[in-house]
Amino acid sequence: MSSSSWSILRERDFSLFLTGRFCASVAQQITDIAVGWLVYDLTGSALALGLVGLAAFLPVISLVLVTGHVADRVDRRLIMMGCFTLNTLICIGLALFAIWHPPDVWPLYALVVLMGVARAFYQPASQAFVPNLVPRSLFGQAIAWSSSVTQVAVIAGPAIGGLLYIAGAYVAFGGAALLFLVAAVAVTLIRLRAEKVPRPKIDWPTLIAGLTFIRGKPVLFGAISLDLFGVLLGGATALLPIYASDILHIGPAGLGLLRSAPAVGAAMMGLYLAQHPIARHAGKRMFGAVILFGLATIVFGLSTNFFLSLAALVVLGVADMVSVFVRQTLVQAETPDTMRGRVAAVNTVFIGASNQLGEFESGTLAAFIGAAPAVALGGVGTIAIALLWTRLFPALLHRDKLVE
């Protein structure tokens, strides 16, 4: 690995940031897998699983104008610390729900909505915070390391969550609460010199400045919207409990392996990109990755073999990491620091729409045509979107270097 990549890790503040991000990501994965399995266990409904994604996404899109502005006006470390603390309390609430087994499932959805509120504030602040930790020349490596750490957490989190769930849902939620608390402490220990930056005034033009900025940058708008529609149509995460229970018959532990598989591929690609960042033909590589993502989704959707399904999910993760790397690097490099919070908030909405709203779309479609046809059809849609976007956003297709 290059010396510049290692030098980033020797930076105390960046290492603390990665520690907090890792613990929070593991905790989030544990929570997601435990909530998904618990909901399906209580309801047996694919639509109910889709509603979990919708509940998590609604706060993100509802608060987008607020969260971005807050990230540009308030100490981003305090925002992250507050979100981690709130998630700790939410996980304690989920553990109590699992212990008491109330007859209605709506309290669980209410807690998921509250966790979505925390995520809505955390994601813009954390995305905008990374460039404050490293010089511009190391943006690519920093994003690769940050993404890799997250993906390693996504590998470990579902597996840990599946094993903890065997001991009881309340055990899984309790473990997640402890990890969120550790993340809050790690972020609190970050000590950066305070820089005087102009705070944006609060009016309508500044509230929508992030959206206006992205809309005026065809490369950014194309990259973010491509990721949105590609993952929105190709997302199969919400249906993994159905695959684990009814198609592959592998139980909670097997569900954890399925959830971890995309992150295995993403982590491997992220570590590679930390050493060898994309230097040329960035746009074409992003489009190629999205098409590969769609193909892997089709294979997974039609597979009834556990090992083939795992392999397809690993390839899916590799492709997704390339897309994420290109998009995140473009967003950070093309946006001035005074606007990064608001731009990151819009980016978060697109990410949330592709993930949480994608889960709702998959769950709803699966309720009508079945899980396997829904996933396979989504993969076809992802490929179609990628081909269409080459025509709509030629500037992105022909983008050569990421940081110009």
Side-chain angles (χ1 to χ4, degrees):
M1 186 168 292
S2 64
S3 59
S4 60
S5 295
W6 283 114
S7 65
I8 293 177
L9 297 182
R10 289 195 292 266
E11 292 291 332
R12 175 182 178 274
D13 291 327
F14 189 63
S15 295
L16 285 170
F17 172 79
L18 291 182
T19 300
R21 189 177 183 88
F22 176 78
C23 291
S25 297
V26 171
Q28 189 65 62
Q29 292 301 315
I30 293 174
T31 303
D32 289 347
I33 194 172
V35 167
W37 192 270
L38 184 59
V39 168
Y40 192 62
D41 188 44
L42 293 174
T43 67
S45 168
L47 181 60
L49 284 174
L51 289 175
V52 173
L54 182 63
F57 173 69
L58 286 178
V60 177
I61 192 170
S62 300
L63 298 171
V64 58
L65 299 182
V66 176
T67 58
H69 207 78
V70 169
D72 282 335
R73 292 180 61 87
V74 180
D75 188 333
R76 291 161 184 164
R77 291 165 294 178
L78 294 179
I79 297 173
M80 291 187 289
M81 183 181 66
C83 292
F84 293 154
T85 302
L86 177 58
N87 278 335
T88 300
L89 299 176
I90 293 170
C91 286
I92 293 174
L94 288 169
L96 294 175
F97 176 91
I99 292 172
W100 289 337
H101 287 293
D104 296 321
V105 76
W106 69 262
L108 192 150
Y109 284 111
L111 290 170
V112 171
V113 169
L114 193 58
M115 185 165 280
V117 172
R119 185 179 299 180
F121 281 93
Y122 164 72
Q123 289 184 337
S126 63
Q127 289 180 33
F129 193 50
V130 173
N132 299 140
L133 299 170
V134 298
R136 180 181 176 85
S137 61
L138 299 180
F139 277 5
Q141 288 91 331
I143 291 170
W145 271 114
S146 180
S147 299
S148 298
V149 164
T150 301
Q151 295 305 327
V152 171
V154 174
I155 296 170
I160 295 172
L163 292 174
L164 291 177
Y165 196 94
I166 295 175
Y170 67 93
V171 176
F173 292 129
L178 180 60
L179 285 170
F180 274 125
L181 183 60
V182 173
V185 173
V187 171
T188 303
L189 294 176
I190 295 177
R191 298 175 181 174
L192 294 177
R193 291 179 298 176
E195 296 182 4
K196 296 291 184 179
V197 295
R199 292 184 175 183
K201 59 183 179 179
I202 301 178
D203 57 21
W204 181 247
T206 57
L207 286 174
I208 65 170
L211 183 60
T212 304
F213 182 84
I214 290 175
R215 187 65 184 88
K217 297 274 188 177
V219 170
L220 284 187
F221 186 53
I224 293 175
S225 59
L226 175 62
D227 184 80
L228 162 65
F229 289 106
V231 179
L232 174 65
L233 295 175
T237 305
L239 303 181
L240 290 183
I242 298 177
Y243 274 84
S245 176
D246 302 337
I247 298 176
L248 301 175
H249 308 289
I250 51 179
L255 173 60
L257 293 177
L258 290 180
R259 288 292 297 264
S260 298
V264 171
M268 291 189 299
M269 178 54 68
L271 292 173
Y272 176 82
L273 290 173
Q275 183 180 4
H276 305 287
I278 295 175
R280 303 293 303 275
H281 309 300
K284 293 179 181 178
R285 294 190 182 188
M286 182 177 189
F287 279 104
V290 174
I291 291 174
L292 180 60
F293 182 93
L295 291 173
T297 300
I298 295 172
V299 172
F300 173 77
L302 299 178
S303 171
T304 57
N305 180 277
F306 176 58
F307 296 103
L308 177 60
S309 298
L310 278 180
L313 290 175
V314 170
V315 174
L316 184 149
V318 169
D320 187 50
M321 174 54 73
V322 175
S323 176
V324 168
F325 178 84
V326 173
R327 171 174 50 80
Q328 290 287 68
T329 303
L330 286 174
V331 169
Q332 303 294 358
E334 299 285 319
T335 308
D337 186 63
T338 54
M339 286 190 60
R340 281 200 178 103
R342 283 163 288 172
V343 171
V346 176
N347 188 33
T348 296
V349 170
F350 279 77
I351 296 172
S354 64
N355 292 323
Q356 283 80 43
L357 198 57
E359 292 179 7
F360 175 67
E361 177 271 334
S362 297
T364 303
L365 186 60
F368 288 98
I369 67 174
V375 173
L377 186 61
V380 173
T382 295
I383 296 173
I385 286 294
L387 296 177
L388 177 61
W389 254 235
T390 61
R391 296 296 186 90
L392 296 179
F393 298 95
L396 175 61
L397 175 64
H398 299 294
R399 176 71 178 234
D400 190 23
K401 296 180 180 180
L402 283 175
V403 181
E404 296 181 342

